[in-house]
Amino acid sequence: MEKNIDIDGITIHYEETGPENAPTVIVMHGWGCDHTTVASIARILEKGMRVFNVDLPGHGQSDEPAGVWGVDDFTRLMEKFIERLSLDTPSLVGHSFGGRIAILLSSRNKVGKILLVDAAGIKPRRGPAYYYRVYSFKVGKLLCRILMGKDRSKAVIERWRSRKGSADYRNSSPVMRAVMSKCVNEDLKHVMPAIKSPTLLVWGENDTATPLSDAKTMERLIPDAGLVSFPECGHYSFLDNPFGFKAVVEEFFKNELRHETAR
């Protein structure tokens, strides 16, 4: 069932499925996606769990943040979502950007199990070429403002950003571009040792957005974590290998899904 909830003036859209009195799980999609992207994950879990598949702020049918949010702001909103709906120790599923929120949320709250799928949360390693591009852009932006003036230079600078940025960046609104730039530079390694819940990391071995080395770092830092990786799969491993993914998830959540197996 499609629903909306207002939290601090922001309308959050979500889909609720599964048995009403079953264990709860929150599913959070990646950047530039919405709840429909991870619908196949929700379908696996809704057989025996009460699933809340959320459009994160600025995505799908949910409102954009009022300002330039960081990961903590998204996490605080999800904490209020849990409180408002009286969800008792929900399990968490986070793909990509949704994994960032799951990591921070579980590091400071009691939750059930955690499934991180090709999750973000570790600041990307960047070589000299990256910093050359960044500082070249900053110098070009400064010169443009000097030569053209602040107002006239805005359109030119925005065109540069659109050409040079990633697809996710180009497809985002100006506010969400600023949010993305802030969030992608936040490193969550320091909170990972505080996660106490059983955690499963599921990864595509060919993931270039959040490489397998990130998963191995998370496995080392999160006390009760295990890693399953799929060969020849990328950043959307749950779509690239749906049958293998389904088998792994059903095994991880087998106790929570006992409602279905008992039928």
Coordinates of all heavy atoms in Angstrom, one line a residue, residues 2-15 29 53-65 69 74 77-78 80-81 84-85:
E2 N 0.6 2.2 -0.9 CA 1.4 3.4 -1.0 C 0.8 4.4 0.0 O -0.4 4.6 0.2 CB 1.2 4.0 -2.4 CG 1.6 3.1 -3.5 CD 3.1 3.1 -3.8 OE1 3.8 4.1 -3.4 OE2 3.5 2.1 -4.4
K3 N 1.8 5.0 0.8 CA 1.4 5.9 1.9 C 2.3 7.1 1.9 O 3.4 7.1 1.3 CB 1.5 5.2 3.2 CG 0.5 4.1 3.4 CD 0.6 3.5 4.8 CE -0.4 2.4 5.0 NZ -0.4 1.8 6.4
N4 N 1.9 8.2 2.6 CA 2.7 9.4 2.8 C 2.7 9.7 4.3 O 1.7 9.5 5.0 CB 2.2 10.6 2.0 CG 2.4 10.4 0.5 OD1 3.4 10.0 0.1 ND2 1.3 10.8 -0.2
I5 N 3.8 10.3 4.8 CA 3.9 10.8 6.1 C 4.6 12.1 6.1 O 5.6 12.3 5.4 CB 4.5 9.7 7.1 CG1 4.5 10.2 8.5 CG2 6.0 9.5 6.6 CD1 5.0 9.1 9.5
D6 N 4.2 13.0 6.9 CA 4.8 14.3 7.0 C 5.7 14.3 8.3 O 5.3 14.1 9.4 CB 3.8 15.5 7.2 CG 4.4 16.8 7.2 OD1 4.9 17.2 8.3 OD2 4.5 17.5 6.2
I7 N 7.0 14.6 8.0 CA 8.0 14.7 9.1 C 8.7 16.0 9.0 O 9.5 16.3 8.0 CB 9.0 13.5 9.0 CG1 8.3 12.2 9.1 CG2 10.1 13.6 10.1 CD1 9.2 10.9 9.0
D8 N 8.5 16.8 10.0 CA 9.2 18.2 10.0 C 8.9 19.0 8.7 O 9.8 19.6 8.2 CB 10.7 18.0 10.2 CG 11.0 17.5 11.6 OD1 10.1 17.5 12.5 OD2 12.1 17.0 11.8
G9 N 7.7 18.9 8.2 CA 7.3 19.6 7.0 C 7.7 19.0 5.7 O 7.5 19.6 4.6
I10 N 8.3 17.8 5.7 CA 8.7 17.1 4.5 C 7.8 15.9 4.3 O 7.7 15.1 5.2 CB 10.2 16.7 4.6 CG1 11.1 17.9 4.7 CG2 10.6 15.8 3.4 CD1 12.6 17.6 4.9
T11 N 7.2 15.8 3.2 CA 6.4 14.7 2.9 C 7.3 13.5 2.4 O 8.0 13.6 1.4 CB 5.4 15.0 1.7 OG1 4.5 16.0 2.2 CG2 4.5 13.8 1.4
I12 N 7.1 12.4 3.1 CA 7.9 11.2 2.8 C 6.9 10.1 2.2 O 5.9 9.8 2.9 CB 8.6 10.6 4.0 CG1 9.6 11.7 4.5 CG2 9.4 9.3 3.7 CD1 10.7 12.1 3.6
H13 N 7.2 9.6 1.1 CA 6.4 8.6 0.4 C 7.0 7.2 0.7 O 8.2 7.1 0.7 CB 6.3 8.8 -1.1 CG 5.4 7.8 -1.8 ND1 4.1 7.9 -1.8 CD2 5.8 6.8 -2.5 CE1 3.6 6.9 -2.5 NE2 4.6 6.2 -2.9
Y14 N 6.2 6.3 1.0 CA 6.7 4.9 1.2 C 5.6 3.9 0.8 O 4.4 4.2 0.7 CB 7.2 4.7 2.6 CG 6.1 4.8 3.7 CD1 5.5 3.6 4.2 CD2 5.6 6.0 4.2 CE1 4.5 3.7 5.2 CE2 4.6 6.1 5.1 CZ 4.1 4.9 5.6 OH 3.1 5.0 6.6
E15 N 6.1 2.7 0.6 CA 5.2 1.6 0.3 C 5.3 0.6 1.5 O 6.4 0.2 1.9 CB 5.5 0.9 -1.0 CG 4.5 -0.3 -1.3 CD 4.9 -0.9 -2.6 OE1 6.1 -1.2 -2.9 OE2 4.0 -1.2 -3.4
H29 N 16.7 2.8 -0.8 CA 17.3 2.7 -2.1 C 18.6 3.6 -2.2 O 19.0 4.3 -1.3 CB 16.3 3.2 -3.2 CG 15.8 4.6 -3.0 ND1 16.6 5.7 -3.3 CD2 14.7 5.1 -2.4 CE1 15.9 6.8 -2.9 NE2 14.8 6.5 -2.4
N53 N 9.2 0.3 2.4 CA 10.1 0.6 1.3 C 10.0 2.1 1.0 O 8.9 2.6 0.5 CB 9.7 -0.2 0.1 CG 10.8 -0.1 -1.0 OD1 11.8 0.6 -0.9 ND2 10.5 -0.8 -2.1
V54 N 11.0 2.9 1.3 CA 10.9 4.4 1.5 C 11.5 5.1 0.3 O 12.6 4.7 -0.2 CB 11.6 4.8 2.8 CG1 11.5 6.3 2.9 CG2 11.0 4.1 4.0
D55 N 10.8 6.1 -0.2 CA 11.5 7.1 -1.1 C 12.2 8.1 -0.2 O 11.6 8.9 0.5 CB 10.4 7.9 -1.9 CG 9.9 7.1 -3.1 OD1 10.5 6.1 -3.4 OD2 8.9 7.5 -3.7
L56 N 13.5 8.1 -0.3 CA 14.3 9.0 0.6 C 14.1 10.5 0.1 O 13.7 10.7 -1.1 CB 15.8 8.7 0.5 CG 16.1 7.3 1.0 CD1 17.6 6.9 0.7 CD2 15.9 7.2 2.5
P57 N 14.2 11.5 1.0 CA 14.0 12.9 0.6 C 14.8 13.2 -0.7 O 16.0 12.9 -0.8 CB 14.6 13.6 1.8 CG 14.3 12.7 3.0 CD 14.6 11.3 2.4
G58 N 14.1 13.9 -1.6 CA 14.7 14.3 -2.8 C 14.6 13.2 -3.9 O 15.2 13.4 -5.0
H59 N 13.9 12.1 -3.6 CA 13.8 11.0 -4.6 C 12.4 10.6 -4.7 O 11.6 10.7 -3.7 CB 14.7 9.9 -4.1 CG 16.2 10.2 -4.1 ND1 16.7 10.9 -3.0 CD2 17.2 9.9 -4.9 CE1 18.0 11.0 -3.2 NE2 18.3 10.4 -4.4
G60 N 12.0 10.0 -5.8 CA 10.7 9.5 -6.0 C 9.6 10.5 -5.7 O 9.7 11.7 -6.2
Q61 N 8.7 10.2 -4.9 CA 7.6 11.1 -4.6 C 7.7 11.8 -3.3 O 6.8 12.5 -2.8 CB 6.2 10.3 -4.5 CG 5.9 9.6 -5.9 CD 4.6 8.8 -5.8 OE1 3.6 9.3 -5.4 NE2 4.7 7.6 -6.2
S62 N 8.9 11.7 -2.7 CA 9.2 12.5 -1.4 C 9.8 13.8 -1.7 O 10.4 14.1 -2.8 CB 10.2 11.7 -0.6 OG 9.7 10.5 -0.1
D63 N 9.5 14.8 -0.8 CA 10.0 16.2 -1.0 C 11.5 16.2 -0.9 O 12.1 15.4 -0.2 CB 9.4 17.1 0.1 CG 7.9 17.3 0.0 OD1 7.4 17.0 -1.1 OD2 7.3 17.7 0.9
E64 N 12.1 17.3 -1.5 CA 13.5 17.5 -1.3 C 13.7 18.1 0.1 O 12.9 18.7 0.7 CB 14.0 18.6 -2.4 CG 14.1 18.0 -3.8 CD 14.8 19.0 -4.7 OE1 15.1 20.2 -4.3 OE2 15.1 18.6 -5.9
P65 N 15.0 17.9 0.6 CA 15.3 18.6 1.8 C 15.3 20.1 1.6 O 15.4 20.7 0.5 CB 16.8 18.2 2.0 CG 17.0 17.0 1.2 CD 16.1 17.1 0.0
W69 N 21.6 18.9 3.0 CA 21.7 17.8 4.0 C 23.0 17.0 3.9 O 23.5 16.8 2.8 CB 20.5 16.9 3.9 CG 19.2 17.4 4.5 CD1 19.0 18.7 4.9 CD2 18.1 16.7 4.9 NE1 17.7 18.8 5.4 CE2 17.2 17.6 5.4 CE3 17.7 15.3 4.8 CZ2 15.9 17.2 5.9 CZ3 16.5 14.9 5.3 CH2 15.6 15.8 5.8
F74 N 19.7 12.9 6.9 CA 18.9 11.8 6.4 C 18.6 10.8 7.5 O 17.5 10.3 7.6 CB 19.5 11.2 5.2 CG 19.5 11.9 3.9 CD1 20.5 12.8 3.5 CD2 18.4 11.8 3.0 CE1 20.4 13.5 2.4 CE2 18.3 12.5 1.8 CZ 19.3 13.4 1.5
L77 N 16.0 12.0 10.0 CA 14.7 11.9 9.5 C 14.2 10.4 9.6 O 13.0 10.2 10.0 CB 14.6 12.3 8.0 CG 13.2 12.3 7.4 CD1 12.9 13.6 6.7 CD2 13.1 11.1 6.5
M78 N 15.1 9.4 9.2 CA 14.6 8.0 9.3 C 14.4 7.6 10.8 O 13.6 6.8 11.0 CB 15.7 7.1 8.6 CG 15.7 7.3 7.1 SD 14.1 7.2 6.3 CE 13.6 5.5 6.8
K80 N 13.2 9.5 13.0 CA 11.8 10.1 13.3 C 10.8 9.3 12.6 O 9.7 9.1 13.2 CB 11.7 11.5 12.9 CG 12.6 12.5 13.7 CD 12.5 13.9 13.3 CE 13.4 14.8 14.1 NZ 13.4 16.2 13.7
F81 N 11.0 8.8 11.4 CA 10.1 7.9 10.7 C 9.9 6.6 11.6 O 8.7 6.2 11.7 CB 10.8 7.5 9.4 CG 9.9 6.5 8.5 CD1 9.0 7.1 7.6 CD2 10.1 5.2 8.6 CE1 8.3 6.2 6.8 CE2 9.4 4.3 7.8 CZ 8.4 4.8 6.9
R84 N 7.8 7.7 14.7 CA 6.4 8.1 14.4 C 5.5 6.9 14.1 O 4.3 6.8 14.4 CB 6.4 9.0 13.1 CG 6.8 10.5 13.5 CD 5.7 11.3 14.1 NE 4.6 11.4 13.2 CZ 4.5 12.2 12.2 NH1 5.4 13.1 11.9 NH2 3.4 12.2 11.4
L85 N 6.1 5.9 13.4 CA 5.3 4.7 13.1 C 5.5 3.6 14.1 O 4.9 2.5 13.9 CB 5.8 4.1 11.7 CG 5.5 5.1 10.5 CD1 6.1 4.5 9.2 CD2 4.0 5.3 10.4

